[in-house]
Structures are given as structure tokens and as C-alpha cells.
Amino acid sequence: MKNVVPVLVVLAAIVGIWYAAVAPMNIRTALDQAERGGAVIEPEGGRTRLEVSVWRLMADNSEYISEGYALDRPRLPTPAQVGRELWKTTGEMALRGKAMSKRSLIYHATVTLKSTLWGFLLGTFLGIAGAVAITHSRVMDMSVMPWAIISQTIPIVALAPMIIVLSSQLGIEDRGVPKAIISAYLCYFPVLVGMVKGLRAPSASQLDLLRTYSASQWETFVKLRLPASVPYLFTSLKIGIASALVGAIVGELPTGAISGLGARILIGDQFGTPLAIWAALLAAAILAGILVTLLDLAQRITLKRMGLQA
Amino acid sequence: MALIESNEKMNGVAQEPVIFAEKLDLTFQTNDGAVQALRDVNLTINKGDFVSFIGPSGCGKTTFLRVVAALEHPTGGEITVNGMSPDEARRQRAYGYVFQAAGLYPWRTISKNIELPLEIMGYSKESKREHVDKVLKLVDLEGFGEKFPWQLSGGMQQRASIARALAFDAEILLMDEPFGALDEIVRDHLNEQLLALWGRTGKTIGFVTHSIPEAVYLSTKIVVMSPRPGRITDVIESTLPRERPLDIRDTPEFLEIAHRVREGLRAGHAYDD
Amino acid sequence: MTTLIFSIAGFIAVWAINSAIANSPDRDDRAARVFVPVMLGLASLYLWEGLVDGLGVSPVILPAPSAIAATFAASTDMLWQDFVQTVLKGALTGYVMGCGAAFLVAVLIDRSSFLTRGLLPIGNFVAALPIVGIAPILVSWFGFDWHSKAAVVVVMVFFPVLVNTVQGLRETDAMQRDLMRTYAAGYLQTLLKLRLPAAMPFIFNGLKIASTLALIGAIVAEYFGSPTRGMGFRISTGVGSLSIDLVWAEIVVAAIVGTLLYGSVSWIEKAVTFWHPSQRR
């Protein structure tokens, strides 16, 4: 909690720098717009202005700087503009009862969330199953673990478009399935590695003690390895859910996507409406924050009940 | 007292104590309130003394050592090291400090580890090599210079740590339970070596320990301390000769001093509370 | 059909051999540790070939490894061009710039515990966000060519490296810092001789994570606009025109590049942090 003040100060500084950066970033667009509206700008013509630095332009045309803060299609929107756009497509629509309309970011967020959660569940299940197998079977450990490590160095984004085409070729209409698979792929490795570390965490003396009780492999697993792995599991789950979200969004990028936050980003890019992109990104960031915080809460409660945390 | 007076008479000049503490107080502010780690500590340590500090946990012995090293600052009273403030003495690199853990850098060889203070203090290349070779011989680690710390046993690592503290010719050596983590056989061996080293170099040594035999075996002066608040209960001038074989631990003289130490410890620390 | 039967038999045989090795006393040999996963990989490839062949899978859904190899061999020029565009120009430039900037910022803010405490939670948060989403914005700022891709990579690798470096610098224990104080060592001396070497395991952890992110960033950024070359470009257009074997050839390149990048960083890590318990196994 003693970090609250420094964090707030740093955040305030970031917002401050952001606001200041809007002016130089948007000055060219502002001047172009003013010129189209009939004003005379020195030097004339957007092309000639490209030769002049933004600082010069701002100094010579300071009366137009403020316009840069209110553009429809800004190069760099102000935090307020992004916030307003987000509110327009979420809260405002919810208040009008249209939370789930195709233009509402809440609807798109739920689409992305669904794939994220399915992918997260699948990836976590595979990760834990793989970890149990690797811990208990030497042949799995020697043969599969190196490939699991290598698989993470392969950029999934290269496979994403193909998984989508594959599933549509196989007749799966719902885009949610390939998206969930991509999410699962991104999520399973952190969970696998974390669980392996956790299941192997008990010390040699603890394992020896159970041997003196003639405990079976299963009993050792349930009574010692599994509880010992819980802290590691939660750490990996947090990374896993963030990766699953990235996977779902990446799955929405290849052409043809119409719903989901990734799709909104794509459409915003295609229609040249940067504010839509920023709002979708902010929504994705908020979604990520909520998911990780929920897991963090779950971690605190579970560890407390297990006596592993004060 | 007689020893000090005769020294002064011999030199014709008043011997300035190396470490002088008067009415030293140190109170820590913790979450649970104020803790008085040191109260009214008065102590004089002269050049060439080997002083042991012994007492149960929390009696302030480590704290006192840290005050001498300027790693802690007193809240009352006065303390001088070599006639100046501990901070000044630290800046002048007047002492070497040996911690309970060897604390060698695993990414440096033993030689490079010993060179660490010399690098910081700006010694020349030849000078560094000279000093490293000298102290390696002093602690009997010749030939191990190119090894890494994790290739050495605990006792050898601790010897390297002592070598590091000796590398820059400081006149004072401050050691905080340096042999605490080692087994008794290694400990005996290192005690012997430390005593021999002290005999050869004539340094002033401040040594914190939990072990009564160790304190009595090594020191010319034993400071018995007790906790809550940290204070000195007894200062014993050892009557044992400077040259001591390990067998001296079985002599009646040794046992008498050890007994006095034990009495001092019991007096300051009732085990019923 | 025969390929399928042989490949299934082969897979089972390899698994049996691997089990034997895994349970034998020689299992910790270097040779054994390389042989087992490699054999599994080859057996899996053969099984893939067998399944595609035996089950008559359409090449549009899943091409056989032999077909991919053929396309790979036939398109080396194009693949090389894509590699230069995406990896050398986009990913590597961004990686070097991003990691360098993150390292510098970490060292600079290390001086102020206030800034460190404020920036660390924020850095952790941003590192968990889907940063790939800013690719279209960076393309609109920096244009279609590799500069925007490098920019995406810079943003993606900055935070993980920053967070790991800051944590690494904090790791030195009180005793080590006390020792430096007894030497009256200055801030710079303590930083260079103690805290930076001690932070290396953490820094390399960040660099390894960054190496996988760099490639992802460069490829995804190309989905949002690219001159007519680049791995991401080739994959998205290949998918659109159903040249799936070409797409797979690019994936093979991506896999090789990714492994090499990660492997190189690990190799340097081993050399620099040879002293760390995890490397001395």
C-alpha cells in the first residue's frame, strides 16, 4: 500500500506527458484541417509543410495548437478523447439498454472474453496435465519437455491465420473455436512450466519423509506435490490469462473478423478512425486488468486459507 | 589497568586507544516501539588487542561492531576510531569487516574477490597482485586463487573472506561470528590460524562470538554483554600468554576465565523470563 | 496406406526406445538428452506424413511434411527476402533498441526508490497487456515499411526487460551492500561491481522473453500493412489465396528463427551467468 503514492505520481506524470505530446503529434493534421476550412497557413499546402519541423509549425501557428486537441481523426488522441469514445461505446450504450448492440464495445469485449476464457481453461488443463505427466514419467520429461520449450519460440501469430482457415475448411463456422485454440496454445506453456516447477518444488527431505510412510505416488502427489505447487500455479495462471487474451485478439485480426476487440481494431484501421482503435485498446487493457486482478484475488484467498500467506 | 599504564610509561607518550566508547547509546525505532540495543557502553580498545564480544542474541554485540564500522549510528554518547569519528575512519578505510557469511561474489575467482576492495580503492595492477599473493599466503590458500567460491569448502570460503578483509592493510579487523556456520573441527583449525595471523601482523581485532571457549582462546580482552537493554556486564583481561597452543583449553587457568565468562553471562540474562 | 502403417509402427518403436533410455542409468548423458527429443520429433514428422497420406487429407487443410519441404526448397529466394524484411530489419532492430532503452531507463530510475516503486507496478501491468494491438497505430505513424514493425517490437520488449532489470537491481542483499559501505565505495562502483553482475540472471530472463515477443511483434505488425514482402505479409496473403504449403514454409522459417534467437540469448546467458546455481546443474 505504500506504493500507492509513487504509482499515482508516475501515472500523473505519464498522463501529463501524453497531453503535452498531443500538440506536436497533431499539429500537421490541425493545420491541414484549418486550411481546408479556408484559413491561410504559412507555409501553404500540406506537402510543403512536410519540410518544416513540427516545432517550427507550432511556433509559427500557435493559434491552431488547441485545434489539435479536438480533432475527429487525431494522430494522437488526448486521454480525454479516448475516455469519451470508450464511454460512448460502452457505458452510454448500456444506459440506453443497448449494451449488447453490435456497435457496443461491451458486446465485442464479451466476444473476446468468451474465447479467452475457453482458451484459458483448455490451456490450463493441458498445461497441468502435461506437467503431471512430465513430473511422473521420465520418458515424457526427456522427450516432450524440450519440444514444449521450443514451441514457445515459435510465434503463434504465424499459425493463427492458418488455424482459422483450417477450422473453416473443416466446416466449423463459429470463429470462436479457432480463437480459443490459439488462446489455449499461448496459455498452456506458462502454466506447464510453472506447474512443473511447482510439482518439483518439494525438497528431497520432504519426499524422503513420505517414503518412510510408504506413501504411494498418488498420495505423494495429492498430499505434497499438489499443495506445494499452488503458489507457482497462480503465478503462471496470471501470465496465462494475459497470454490467452492476446491470443484471442490475435485470432480476431486475420481478415474476415467482425466481432471482438481485435476486430474493432482491424475495422478502425481499415476505416481510418483512430479513436475506435484507441478505445478498443483501452477496453482490452481494462479487460486484462480485471482478469489479472480477479486471479490475484483468488490467489490471495486461496493462499491465506492454505496458510501459505499471512 | 597495569598493562596499559606500563605501555604508556614505555612510550613516554599517552597511548591513544584505537577504539574509545563513552556512554554509548543506541535506540532503534521499530514497528513494535523503541528498542534500546546499546545502553551506557564504555570501552577502551588499544592497539594490538584481540577483543571478543560474547553474549546471547540481542545483547548488542553485533550492533556495537556495526557502530564501530559506521554501519549504524549511535543515538547518544561518544565513540572514536583512531581518534576520529567512525564515518571518517570508514572513509579512510581504517578497518576490514568479515561477515558471518563469506559473501564472496560467485562470478569472481578467489583472487578477483580479494582484489575487490583494492579495485575500489584504486590500487595499481602490480600492487594489487602483490597484495593478493601476500594475503593468500597469510590465510594458507596459496594455489586456490583461480578457483571459484562454489568450488571451495565453507571453511576455505571464510578464509578467503578474511583474506579479502586483510588485503588493503587496514590496522583494524572487525569480525562478526565469522566461524559460526562451520563445524567444530574446522573451527578449531581456523581459530589457530587466526591467532597465528594476529601474532604475525599485530592487528587490532574486534571479534563477536557465541562460543565461550572460542572467546577465551582467542582474546586478550573479553567483553561480556547482556540484552534488554544491550549493556556490558563484565570486561575480563585475559591472563593467558599471547602464544597459545590449542591444548591450553584444558588448563585450569583457561577454565577459570571461562567460568568467569559464564558467570557474567548468567548474571545478565535470567533464563526464566 | 503403407506410409500410415509404417509411421504408426515407427512412432511406437521410437517411444519404446525412448522409454528404455529414460529409465536406464545412462539417461543423464548429453547424447541421451539430445537423442530422445530428436527421435520423438522425427517420429512425429513421419507420423504426420503417414496420417496425411493414409487419411487422404487435402493439402489445403494440412500439407504433408514432404510437400512443405518441396515448397521450401523451391522458394528460398522469397523466404530469404521475407526473412531480411521481417527479422533483420523489423524484429532485430526493434529488439536491440527496445532492450537497450529498457536497460538504460532501469539504471536511471534505480537512483530513486520513489520512481522505482511507482514504475514497477505500472510496468508489470503494461507487460501483461495485449500490446500487439497498437500495431495499426504505429503503422499509421511510421508508415508501411519496417520502421513501424521495429517500433511495435520496441514497445513490446520494453516493459518485460524494464521490469526484470529493475527487479534484478533490487536483488542484492543487505550484507553485500554493507560490505561495499565498509569499503567506502561510491554509487557507480557499487552498481558496476556488485549490483549489475548480480542482476544478470534477471536481465537475461527478460531478454529471453523479449526474444520471443520480438518475432511476434514484427509478424503481427505486418498484418496491418506492409510492402509486398515480409513473413507476416506472406502468411496473410498465403492464407487468403489458400497456398497453405507456402504458409507452412514461412512457419518453418519462423520456427527456426525463433529457436535460433532464443538459443543465442540462452547461450550468452550461460556464458555470463555461469556462476548461478541454476546454470551449474
Side-chain angles (χ1 to χ4, degrees):
Chain A
M1 266 298 117
K2 67 176 164 86
N3 285 339
V4 173
V5 172
V7 171
L8 289 177
V9 168
V10 175
L11 275 176
I14 292 175
V15 172
I17 297 174
W18 183 344
Y19 260 107
V22 169
M25 289 295 288
N26 287 345
I27 188 72
R28 289 194 204 279
T29 326
L31 292 179
D32 286 346
Q33 187 176 279
E35 202 164 58
R36 274 193 301 258
V40 177
I41 312 284
E42 276 289 329
E44 251 187 271
R47 279 262 143 93
T48 22
R49 278 196 293 272
L50 280 175
E51 315 279 306
V52 188
S53 84
V54 283
W55 309 107
R56 197 69 210 287
L57 288 174
M58 289 205 310
D60 291 342
N61 301 289
S62 49
E63 62 271 28
Y64 291 104
I65 293 183
S66 54
E67 312 247 334
Y69 284 80
L71 295 172
D72 280 336
R73 294 174 183 223
R75 269 189 120 208
L76 179 67
T78 68
Q81 279 181 308
V82 178
R84 231 175 294 134
E85 175 74 18
L86 182 64
W87 175 253
K88 220 172 51 171
T89 46
T90 53
E92 210 180 270
M93 287 190 158
L95 290 176
R96 282 191 282 139
K98 284 206 183 146
M100 283 305 168
S101 100
K102 292 259 159 50
R103 297 229 248 115
S104 152
L105 275 181
I106 298 181
Y107 164 72
H108 291 290
T110 17
V111 169
T112 309
L113 185 65
K114 249 199 294 191
S115 304
T116 307
L117 288 178
W118 277 114
F120 177 68
L121 283 171
L122 182 62
T124 306
F125 174 73
L126 288 175
I128 295 179
V132 173
I134 286 179
T135 322
H136 289 100
S137 154
R138 279 198 213 105
V139 63
M140 281 287 285
D141 183 18
M142 278 188 85
S143 58
V144 174
M145 192 64 171
W147 287 110
I149 296 174
I150 289 182
S151 78
Q152 280 310 288
T153 64
I154 302 174
I156 177 58
V157 290
L159 292 169
M162 215 189 43
I163 296 180
I164 293 174
V165 165
L166 217 95
S167 68
S168 74
Q169 290 288 325
L170 286 174
I172 301 173
E173 281 308 318
D174 181 12
R175 215 157 192 223
V177 172
K179 273 173 20 182
I181 295 178
I182 298 168
S183 289
Y185 181 97
L186 274 174
C187 163
Y188 98 93
F189 185 70
V191 175
L192 178 78
V193 163
M195 267 313 262
V196 167
K197 235 199 260 178
L199 289 173
R200 288 186 173 161
S203 66
S205 41
Q206 286 171 311
L207 291 166
D208 279 344
L209 183 66
L210 284 182
R211 247 197 258 141
T212 70
Y213 299 156
S214 297
S216 68
Q217 283 253 46
W218 172 253
E219 283 172 318
T220 311
F221 175 70
V222 170
K223 291 185 191 302
L224 177 61
R225 290 193 193 272
L226 208 52
S229 67
V230 171
Y232 296 84
L233 177 64
F234 272 107
T235 316
S236 320
L237 285 182
K238 286 193 274 195
I239 303 176
I241 195 133
S243 311
L245 180 62
V246 173
I249 291 180
V250 163
E252 289 162 2
L253 294 179
T255 45
I258 45 166
S259 34
L261 291 174
R264 293 303 296 171
I265 294 176
L266 193 66
I267 291 173
D269 183 46
Q270 287 170 345
F271 280 106
T273 47
L275 274 178
I277 301 179
W278 285 87
L281 278 174
L282 186 56
I286 294 174
L287 189 58
I290 294 175
L291 290 171
V292 172
T293 311
L294 283 175
L295 271 176
D296 195 56
L297 219 71
Q299 177 179 4
R300 264 185 236 265
I301 298 175
T302 315
L303 289 187
K304 212 173 203 153
R305 294 183 89 202
M306 288 176 73
L308 283 172
Q309 200 170 291
Chain B
M1 271 298 123
L3 204 59
I4 297 172
E5 281 173 338
S6 67
N7 267 339
E8 288 176 346
K9 290 208 180 85
M10 275 188 343
N11 298 341
V13 120
Q15 267 259 32
E16 174 141 19
V18 168
I19 299 171
F20 178 74
E22 187 169 34
K23 293 204 182 46
L24 198 63
D25 276 334
L26 214 188
T27 309
F28 284 121
Q29 296 297 337
T30 68
N31 287 333
D32 304 314
V35 170
Q36 193 167 30
L38 291 172
R39 187 175 82 173
D40 194 26
V41 169
N42 300 289
L43 191 62
T44 306
I45 298 175
N46 294 306
K47 185 159 161 44
D49 275 350
F50 194 128
V51 182
S52 287
F53 296 85
I54 188 163
S57 312
C59 68
K61 52 193 195 297
T62 300
T63 312
F64 181 73
L65 212 71
R66 287 172 68 87
V67 170
V68 172
L71 292 173
E72 308 280 2
H73 293 96
T75 47
E78 185 200 323
I79 178 162
T80 58
V81 177
N82 283 346
M84 51 186 120
S85 78
D87 270 314
E88 246 323 290
R90 178 176 65 91
R91 267 190 285 270
Q92 296 204 353
R93 280 106 185 213
Y95 63 86
Y97 204 99
V98 179
F99 290 91
Q100 195 167 352
L104 301 167
Y105 292 179
W107 55 85
R108 288 183 176 228
T109 58
I110 297 295
S111 293
K112 278 264 160 218
N113 260 296
I114 297 175
E115 260 185 49
L116 178 66
L118 305 176
E119 279 173 23
I120 294 174
M121 298 170 189
Y123 281 52
S124 77
K125 197 161 170 187
E126 305 82 49
S127 179
K128 277 195 288 204
R129 200 170 317 138
E130 213 186 287
H131 280 87
V132 169
D133 289 340
K134 187 181 75 178
V135 291
L136 274 178
K137 214 181 295 190
L138 219 61
V139 300
D140 205 20
L141 275 181
E142 254 184 304
F144 287 95
E146 295 312 303
K147 296 257 186 241
F148 285 97
W150 29 273
Q151 292 174 303
L152 264 51
S153 71
M156 293 167 94
Q157 286 186 31
Q158 209 38 303
R159 269 150 58 193
S161 173
I162 294 172
R164 186 177 58 182
L166 293 170
F168 49 100
D169 299 323
E171 279 307 310
I172 305 172
L173 198 57
L174 300 173
M175 307 173 82
D176 187 1
E177 294 190 64
F179 307 140
L182 307 170
D183 71 63
E184 185 137 4
I185 300 168
V186 173
R187 219 175 167 159
D188 275 353
H189 186 61
L190 289 175
N191 278 347
E192 253 186 327
Q193 288 197 319
L194 182 59
L195 211 56
L197 205 137
W198 172 66
R200 255 176 297 166
T201 56
K203 300 213 188 281
T204 312
I205 302 186
F207 188 92
V208 168
T209 178
H210 263 152
S211 157
I212 300 176
E214 193 173 58
V216 178
Y217 176 65
L218 293 172
S219 340
T220 57
K221 188 192 299 226
I222 304 162
V223 177
V224 183
M225 300 181 75
S226 69
R228 288 189 301 275
R231 62 197 183 281
I232 298 180
T233 35
D234 197 3
V235 176
I236 305 166
E237 296 284 345
S238 177
T239 50
L240 299 173
R242 280 180 85 95
E243 303 265 327
R244 311 165 184 180
L246 271 176
D247 308 345
I248 205 171
R249 295 182 300 181
D250 301 321
T251 63
E253 211 180 340
F254 187 96
L255 294 170
E256 211 182 290
I257 302 177
H259 180 77
R260 196 174 149 194
V261 173
R262 202 163 280 122
E263 288 298 303
L265 286 173
R266 246 194 284 256
H269 183 91
Y271 277 91
D272 333 311
D273 64 318
Chain C
M1 241 327 156
T2 42
T3 329
L4 182 60
I5 298 172
F6 271 121
S7 63
I8 295 178
F11 191 86
I12 298 175
V14 165
W15 193 271
I17 297 175
N18 279 349
S19 302
I21 298 178
N23 290 311
S24 80
D26 296 321
R27 63 172 172 270
D28 283 325
D29 276 358
R30 234 286 177 64
R33 284 193 290 136
V34 171
F35 180 82
V36 168
V38 167
M39 286 310 287
L40 180 66
L42 290 174
S44 307
L45 275 177
Y46 193 34
L47 187 64
W48 176 349
E49 182 87 30
L51 284 169
V52 168
D53 185 58
L55 299 177
V57 179
S58 151
V60 158
I61 296 183
L62 191 67
S66 48
I68 298 173
T71 315
F72 191 98
S75 335
T76 38
D77 278 345
M78 183 163 52
L79 292 174
W80 176 257
Q81 227 188 18
D82 294 337
F83 167 76
V84 169
Q85 174 77 4
T86 311
V87 176
L88 293 184
K89 288 191 191 165
L92 275 180
T93 346
Y95 182 75
V96 169
M97 286 200 296
C99 293
F103 181 76
L104 279 168
V105 171
V107 172
L108 285 173
I109 68 170
D110 172 64
R111 266 292 201 166
S112 152
S113 119
F114 185 83
L115 276 182
T116 316
R117 280 184 294 134
L119 211 51
L120 203 56
I122 296 179
N124 268 313
F125 178 71
V126 177
L129 297 180
I131 304 228
V132 279
I134 64 171
I137 294 173
L138 289 178
V139 169
S140 77
W141 286 357
F142 293 103
F144 275 164
D145 209 348
W146 61 269
H147 308 90
S148 50
K149 322 300 179 274
V152 172
V153 172
V154 165
V155 179
M156 280 185 78
V157 306
F158 182 83
F159 290 97
V161 175
L162 177 73
V163 161
N164 273 286
T165 310
V166 168
Q167 273 178 324
L169 286 173
R170 279 170 137 200
E171 270 301 301
T172 358
D173 66 30
M175 191 196 88
Q176 288 293 9
R177 282 180 272 131
D178 275 346
L179 186 66
M180 278 305 198
R181 280 169 71 192
T182 71
Y183 298 152
Y187 171 79
L188 204 60
Q189 284 173 322
T190 312
L191 181 70
L192 291 174
K193 291 186 193 296
L194 171 65
R195 303 172 69 219
L196 273 179
M200 281 302 160
F202 287 81
I203 295 176
F204 272 96
N205 188 43
L207 289 179
K208 281 195 288 195
I209 296 173
S211 74
T212 55
L213 293 176
L215 203 49
I216 293 176
I219 294 179
V220 167
E222 285 179 358
Y223 290 163
F224 286 101
S226 162
T228 51
R229 56 178 177 280
M231 290 163 67
F233 169 76
R234 199 74 55 195
I235 291 173
S236 57
T237 48
V239 160
S241 63
L242 288 183
S243 336
I244 302 294
D245 44 357
L246 183 60
V247 174
W248 272 101
E250 289 282 5
I251 291 173
V252 169
V253 175
I256 296 175
V257 170
T259 319
L260 280 177
L261 213 59
Y262 187 88
S264 315
V265 179
S266 294
W267 189 74
I268 301 176
E269 178 190 30
K270 226 186 166 80
V272 171
T273 64
F274 63 90
W275 46 269
H276 197 255
S278 67
Q279 301 285 352
R280 281 190 270 131
R281 205 52 61 76

